[in-house]
Amino acid sequence: MRRLISAFAALAALALSCAPVSAAQLPAPTGPVVLTLKGRIANANVDGTVQFDLAMLERLAGRDAVMETPWTEGTTRFSGPLVRAVLEEVGADGDTLVIRALNDYAAEVPMADATGLDTILALRMNGNLMSVRDKGPLFLIYPFDQNRELYNEKYFSRSVWQIREIEVR
Ligand SMILES: Nc1nc2c(c(=O)[nH]1)N[C@H]1C(S)=C(S)[C@@H](COP(=O)(O)O)O[C@H]1N2
Ligand SMILES: [Mo]
């Protein structure tokens, strides 16, 4: 009997963990909006999208990485939330991220680049917030420090700076 009960408990736990994540209403941003997530997302705070201010992004799990890039001189420290933490926050469910910049440059980034790599939305360069002139407010930074095989044109072209919006498709 006890074995039957524990089998049942295990099944119940499995059923719970497989239940779809329900939509959450996230708090609205209180500061200037730096990033909007839209598309295949479960959560929202403003009109079916999730708008982030700086504080909301800084609360997410992040990474500090020192590396060389084609766009900076010498070694540079980038910090900001992990893309997968941003995606978890919005309840993203898709295969592709369309990352759009202020200048309407856009890149399609496979979801695997966010889930399988420590890719960050850098908010800071050498500890300072990035101005638009400096490729801010957000710069998609691949872990070039962890994996030199990423150091090529394929990933450079996905390294969008001056990001304003991410659409989950
Ligand atoms: N916002 C924005 N990000 C961008 C681009 C752009 O034009 N605008 N070009 C991309 C491409 S195609 C590449 S190869 C690199 C180009 O970097 P470079 O202009 O320093 O050569 O940045 C990527 N990120
Ligand atoms: Mo490019």
Side-chain angles (χ1 to χ4, degrees), residues 70-71 101 103 105 153 156-162:
W71 313 284
N103 66 345
Y105 178 83
E153 183 67 26
F156 297 159
S157 70
R158 297 177 185 173
S159 302
V160 184
W161 58 77
Q162 297 172 331

Side-chain angles (χ1 to χ4, degrees), residues 46-57:
V46 181
D47 296 333
T49 71
V50 179
Q51 301 192 351
F52 288 92
D53 62 21
L54 198 60
M56 291 165 69
L57 289 173

Side-chain angles (χ1 to χ4, degrees), residues 35-167:
L35 176 70
T36 299
L37 267 283
K38 64 182 205 185
R40 294 176 59 183
I41 60 176
N43 307 334
N45 58 8
V46 181
D47 296 333
T49 71
V50 179
Q51 301 192 351
F52 288 92
D53 62 21
L54 198 60
M56 291 165 69
L57 289 173
E58 289 191 308
R59 275 197 292 272
L60 300 176
R63 170 164 202 259
D64 227 7
V66 176
M67 65 181 82
E68 291 184 20
T69 79
W71 313 284
T72 47
E73 288 209 13
T75 53
T76 304
R77 183 159 57 94
F78 292 96
S79 38
L82 289 156
V83 178
R84 64 173 166 274
V86 176
L87 297 177
E88 257 167 53
E89 183 73 3
V90 303
D93 173 27
D95 317 308
T96 306
L97 304 173
V98 183
I99 303 192
R100 300 194 175 94
L102 293 170
N103 66 345
D104 278 322
Y105 178 83
E108 289 195 11
V109 170
M111 194 58 109
D113 286 9
T115 55
L117 299 171
D118 289 342
T119 310
I120 63 172
L121 281 181
L123 277 167
R124 292 174 190 276
M125 211 190 280
N126 295 325
N128 303 312
L129 291 172
M130 289 176 282
S131 64
V132 170
R133 177 181 295 190
D134 249 3
K135 297 190 161 48
L138 290 162
F139 192 168
L140 183 70
I141 295 290
Y142 278 84
F144 297 124
D145 57 326
Q146 294 175 336
N147 187 347
R148 292 302 286 180
E149 285 169 22
L150 301 172
Y151 207 81
N152 60 58
E153 183 67 26
K154 175 163 134 188
Y155 293 96
F156 297 159
S157 70
R158 297 177 185 173
S159 302
V160 184
W161 58 77
Q162 297 172 331
I163 295 170
R164 65 176 169 85
E165 176 183 283
I166 299 177
E167 179 187 345

